[in-house]
Amino acid sequence: MGKKIFEVYLAKEDVPNNEAYAKLELPASPWELWDAMEKVRLKDGEALYMEIDDYYAFEYLAPHLEELDISLNELNDLAARLATLDEVQGIAFEGLFSMEVQKKVNANGGIITMQDMRDLAVSVKTDCYHVVDAADDAQLGRFYAENDFVPELEGISDAVFEMLDFAGIGRMMRCSENGVFVNSLYVLRDGELTTAPPVQKTLPEKPGYLFRLTLGLCPDFGGDRTAVLDLPASEEALAAAQEQLGTLNWENTAVLNYDGILPNAAVFADLPSELEEFNAFTKAARDIPRSELSKLKALLEQFEVRDIETALFLTEHLADYILTPEISSPQEAALDQLCFIMDREEAVRLIPYVNLFNYGETVIHADNAALTSYGLLHRADYEPMLSPIQQKQEKEMTMQ
């Protein structure tokens, strides 16, 4: 729910016929990171391929990030720090970054490291720099002259003052200070940078919570109260959150942040007004074996679920479906089918003479299956996959 800093594409590196991938906006929450890895489905010994598709407001970082061997967790940490910067801090970051690049150039090479970028993101929240409202050397020179930063000009008349070469003064000061212009502002560093704490390359452990909401009181009701609510929650926990927020009505609050083992769950729930119904859904999700959660994610995606009632219905019918995470493409579906109907060695000999894509498409269609972000999904009885609404109608007709 925060600012987008990067969009990344994740996939397996150099795995033929595999089309498992994930697109992820950074910064991402802990569960969003793990969900992306679930979509990629890395196995032991397989390498993760990561490419930044969009830099949004930080396009100037592209040439430098592309040179670095960085992990998803390191990039996400940088994105999280950049996402918290206000407008002035963002301008200061770009300015300080430009200075660091020039410093490396002047030192005959060297590259900007991930640690350098993280240090800068931390430092712009300190007082190690100044930002001046000056778009060019002339405006900068006038600023310095008017504010007594040039002792040699002390005591001159107003008429002589207006005849000064402000552009020359500004250029002289900028070069001596190694300052830079960014978006019609001048950035000057005048203190030491702060070192950011280290960050691990690997992903953090999976969160201890299943679903977490950060709620805040709506501005119309005054105050800046917030409450963190882990779901599923007891009646006592819900009441305690309302007391902390100072309201008995969920409609008076707003969702400031969401994270959950089902990252898209907030899409089909009208939160916070449906919070109690959503709490019931999280209880159902909690009781599902972890091995079945990928199947629920696939079903929510396949049927484009947009309401809690339908999501709850699917939690009760998981046994009606089969998810095969190992299959991510028509080619893999074809290989799986060939190895099923004949000896594996015979299948391997046959593969060079088979159009795997077309054959796989035929297999998927014949099984009434669909490729999802989590694998190949089909009904256990191989009948067509009806939408949850159609399933309900069919069940009602059968009962009649």
Side-chain angles (χ1 to χ4, degrees):
M1 293 185 179
K3 196 162 46 173
K4 296 177 182 177
I5 305 299
F6 307 117
E7 180 186 79
V8 295
Y9 170 84
L10 306 169
K12 296 182 181 184
E13 191 161 27
D14 298 328
V15 179
N17 298 318
N18 189 273
E19 294 180 9
Y21 75 95
K23 286 197 171 186
L24 186 63
E25 301 282 0
L26 301 183
S29 68
W31 276 124
E32 285 176 329
L33 290 173
W34 281 106
D35 179 67
M37 297 308 296
E38 187 177 349
K39 290 177 179 177
V40 175
R41 291 163 257 169
L42 279 185
K43 297 178 182 177
D44 290 342
E46 293 179 339
L48 177 67
Y49 171 80
M50 179 174 70
E51 182 177 336
I52 304 176
D53 282 346
D54 202 328
Y55 289 83
Y56 297 105
F58 294 88
E59 189 66 38
Y60 59 88
L61 296 180
H64 308 277
L65 282 172
E66 288 170 356
E67 294 181 358
L68 300 179
D69 179 20
I70 54 177
S71 70
L72 174 60
N73 197 51
E74 289 174 306
L75 187 62
N76 192 53
D77 177 84
L78 175 63
R81 296 183 185 281
L82 295 178
T84 63
L85 304 185
D86 60 27
E87 184 177 1
V88 172
Q89 291 169 342
I91 289 172
F93 176 85
E94 183 173 353
L96 294 179
F97 179 81
S98 177
M99 294 176 211
E100 282 297 304
V101 171
Q102 191 58 48
K103 180 180 173 182
K104 299 283 186 181
V105 171
N106 294 341
N108 297 318
I111 62 171
I112 296 290
T113 66
M114 174 58 73
Q115 185 63 43
D116 290 333
M117 296 184 203
R118 295 176 64 251
D119 290 348
L120 293 175
V122 170
S123 298
V124 294
K125 294 198 171 187
T126 69
D127 58 358
C128 72
Y129 63 92
H130 289 290
V131 176
V132 177
D133 187 8
D136 53 34
D137 285 332
Q139 292 182 13
L140 181 64
R142 178 176 285 276
F143 170 84
Y144 276 125
E146 289 178 342
N147 290 277
D148 302 326
F149 287 105
V150 187
E152 295 82 358
L153 301 180
E154 186 176 346
I156 66 172
S157 66
D158 291 344
V160 174
F161 182 86
E162 292 300 329
M163 296 173 63
L164 294 173
D165 178 9
F166 292 117
I169 294 172
R171 183 165 52 255
M172 177 188 68
M173 297 298 290
R174 174 172 57 82
C175 292
S176 65
E177 297 169 339
N178 294 317
V180 295
F181 292 109
V182 178
N183 294 347
S184 300
L185 294 171
Y186 177 69
V187 181
L188 161 68
R189 174 181 162 187
D190 65 353
E192 293 298 317
L193 298 178
T194 301
T195 301
V199 60
Q200 64 189 41
K201 279 186 168 290
T202 57
L203 293 184
E205 293 293 321
K206 292 180 180 179
Y209 57 85
L210 292 181
F211 301 87
R212 173 169 287 178
L213 290 175
T214 302
L215 300 168
L217 198 61
C218 289
D220 294 345
F221 297 93
D224 55 358
R225 299 183 182 185
T226 62
V228 175
L229 186 61
D230 288 348
L231 302 174
S234 64
E235 291 297 327
E236 292 76 15
L238 293 174
Q242 288 181 325
E243 183 177 353
Q244 187 173 342
L245 291 165
T247 180
L248 296 177
N249 194 337
W250 294 118
E251 281 79 1
N252 297 340
T253 66
V255 176
L256 304 179
N257 197 18
Y258 166 80
D259 187 29
I261 196 167
L262 302 174
N264 65 337
V267 173
F268 59 72
D270 184 14
L271 297 174
S273 60
E274 290 187 327
L275 196 147
E276 293 185 6
E277 292 86 346
F278 185 64
N279 191 42
F281 169 75
T282 64
K283 289 178 181 178
R286 175 196 60 194
D287 296 336
I288 295 172
R290 286 294 179 95
S291 60
E292 291 284 276
L293 279 173
S294 294
K295 188 190 298 183
L296 178 58
K297 291 181 183 182
L299 287 166
L300 292 172
E301 175 188 299
Q302 175 65 20
F303 295 124
E304 300 179 345
V305 175
R306 291 292 182 270
D307 63 277
I308 294 177
E309 183 183 357
T310 301
L312 272 170
F313 176 82
L314 289 174
T315 64
E316 299 167 357
H317 291 80
L318 292 179
D320 296 342
Y321 298 89
I322 293 175
L323 177 72
T324 308
E326 296 78 15
I327 298 178
S328 66
S329 67
Q331 294 92 323
E332 289 183 332
L335 292 170
D336 181 74
Q337 180 68 6
L338 287 174
C339 290
F340 175 73
I341 62 177
M342 64 178 65
D343 180 85
R344 185 174 183 83
E345 291 185 4
E346 291 183 10
V348 171
R349 286 197 296 269
L350 183 63
I351 285 171
Y353 308 99
V354 177
N355 184 321
L356 293 178
F357 180 85
N358 287 346
Y359 180 49
E361 289 275 274
T362 300
V363 170
I364 292 171
H365 179 74
D367 289 346
N368 293 306
L371 286 170
T372 74
S373 299
Y374 303 92
L376 186 70
L377 180 71
H378 61 81
R379 284 182 58 91
D381 57 10
Y382 293 94
E383 290 295 314
M385 287 194 291
L386 303 177
S387 70
I389 293 177
Q390 291 173 316
Q391 290 182 55
K392 290 178 185 178
Q393 293 173 341
E394 186 179 75
K395 185 175 181 181
E396 289 172 358
M397 290 178 64
T398 303
M399 292 176 64
Q400 292 174 0

